[in-house]
Amino acid sequence: MTVFNLGSINIDLFYQVPHFPAAGETLTTLGQARMLGGKGANQSIALARAGMDVLHLGASSAEDRWLRKELEEAGVNIAHIQDSDHASGHAIVSVDLEGENQILLAPGANRDIDMDKACAALDQAQDGDWALLQNETNGADKFVAATRAKGLKLAYSAAPFDADVVLGLLPHTDLLVVNEGEAAALGAAIGKPVETADLPHLVITLGGAGATYHGIDGDINQPAFAVEVVDTTGAGDCYLGYLLAGMAAGRTTKRCMAEAAAAAAIHVTRPGSGGAIPTRAEVDAFLEKTC
């Protein structure tokens, strides 16, 4: 089975800070790094490291070949990533001493995807395949229509949250993954708790409190594993990738939730986003030791 991911690709510029700056404050950082990131790229890496075939649909500047090289080295199919005349997406990520983050995002090439070319890749789709998207690229409506025409199931990471976009995609979504704030915003938009929206599969991530599932498999609560947090950047993307990989492989929802929680727990003990995502072997070893 394959996941076709219409996803962002970013250059993440990380800065470790003693605290988040106040308005007008100049702050000397404690460290800095440049890494591959973007919600889409992170989720593709997580899927690949979880053992899933994943084909990434997106765009970046031809000058930034290292972004594609890192995706490919992580096991992601990059054959359909497009060259863009725009600069690659950029994110400026500040991480404080407690591992919390603040992010400034410049979409760049992520909003310059040729959707005719991207959707043409779906000709490779087979029964049982999934599609995945987030809110960091253009072309969501066209992609969803094309995936539905091919009979694919759709997983949707509704971030960054945009109520109008989410409401348009919700009727077509098989698996929706949102954090606690996004769930509250979506509930306000639809006028009722999102848990009552009758989605086939809904997962609400709760940070250190774990995650909850609501859907055709009932209600499931998965606590977070206790670890020493270094950096939470990209942990939700790591979680989604492992969750979707498990569901696409036909594992029980309870097992999928546990694997996703374990992957995220390992992830937050490391700095960075895509590079911090653990392998399947690491997740299995973690669960065997913990559970």
Side-chain angles (χ1 to χ4, degrees):
M1 284 172 287
T2 300
V3 175
F4 295 82
N5 182 12
L6 176 64
S8 56
I9 304 170
N10 289 339
I11 297 172
D12 279 356
L13 303 176
F14 278 87
Y15 298 92
Q16 187 178 28
V17 295
H19 61 268
F20 296 128
E25 179 182 5
T26 299
L27 189 64
T28 299
T29 67
L30 304 175
Q32 62 86 27
R34 186 184 74 160
M35 303 178 185
L36 166 66
K39 294 190 73 63
N42 293 340
Q43 291 172 8
S44 281
I45 291 172
L47 283 159
R49 290 189 174 159
M52 182 61 54
D53 289 334
V54 54
L55 194 156
H56 194 98
L57 309 174
S60 64
S61 169
E63 297 178 354
D64 298 316
R65 291 291 176 185
W66 65 275
L67 295 169
R68 302 183 198 190
K69 182 179 179 181
E70 289 197 14
L71 280 167
E72 187 173 35
E73 289 175 347
V76 177
N77 184 329
I78 63 168
H80 293 271
I81 295 177
Q82 304 167 18
D83 289 334
S84 174
D85 293 332
H86 291 70
S88 299
H90 277 69
I92 298 175
V93 185
S94 297
V95 181
D96 71 8
L97 297 178
E98 283 70 49
E100 296 298 329
N101 62 66
Q102 289 184 341
I103 301 173
L104 294 175
L105 184 64
N110 294 316
R111 301 283 185 178
D112 186 43
I113 300 169
D114 183 324
M115 290 308 302
D116 288 334
K117 292 181 179 179
C119 291
L122 297 172
D123 289 342
Q124 304 174 38
Q126 301 179 6
D127 289 345
D129 289 348
W130 281 74
L132 169 63
L133 79 160
Q134 316 80 32
N135 286 344
E136 290 187 346
T137 70
N138 64 291
D141 288 345
K142 189 164 187 175
F143 181 67
V144 170
T147 61
R148 282 317 199 191
K150 294 290 185 180
L152 275 66
K153 293 182 179 179
L154 178 68
Y156 179 31
S157 174
F161 187 83
D162 182 316
D164 291 337
V165 173
V166 177
L167 290 176
L169 298 182
L170 208 59
H172 310 289
T173 299
D174 296 289
L175 168 63
L176 176 68
V177 180
V178 289
N179 64 25
E180 195 171 13
E182 293 155 359
L186 179 55
I190 63 176
K192 60 182 179 180
V194 68
E195 295 90 338
T196 65
D198 294 326
L199 288 161
H201 304 284
L202 166 68
V203 173
I204 303 173
T205 60
L206 306 169
T212 59
Y213 168 91
H214 311 275
I216 59 177
D217 294 324
D219 296 315
I220 300 171
N221 178 57
Q222 173 64 53
F225 294 101
V227 294
E228 186 174 343
V229 176
V230 171
D231 183 359
T232 60
T233 308
D237 302 328
C238 174
Y239 184 99
L240 184 146
Y242 265 85
L243 176 75
L244 178 54
M247 294 182 72
R251 295 185 181 86
T252 67
T253 300
K254 185 175 182 180
R255 176 66 185 184
C256 294
M257 297 279 287
E259 290 177 352
I266 297 170
H267 185 280
V268 300
T269 65
R270 303 167 174 174
S273 51
I277 296 170
T279 63
R280 165 65 65 183
E282 289 177 306
V283 170
D284 289 344
F286 182 95
L287 284 171
E288 184 176 352
K289 181 180 178 180
T290 307
C291 297

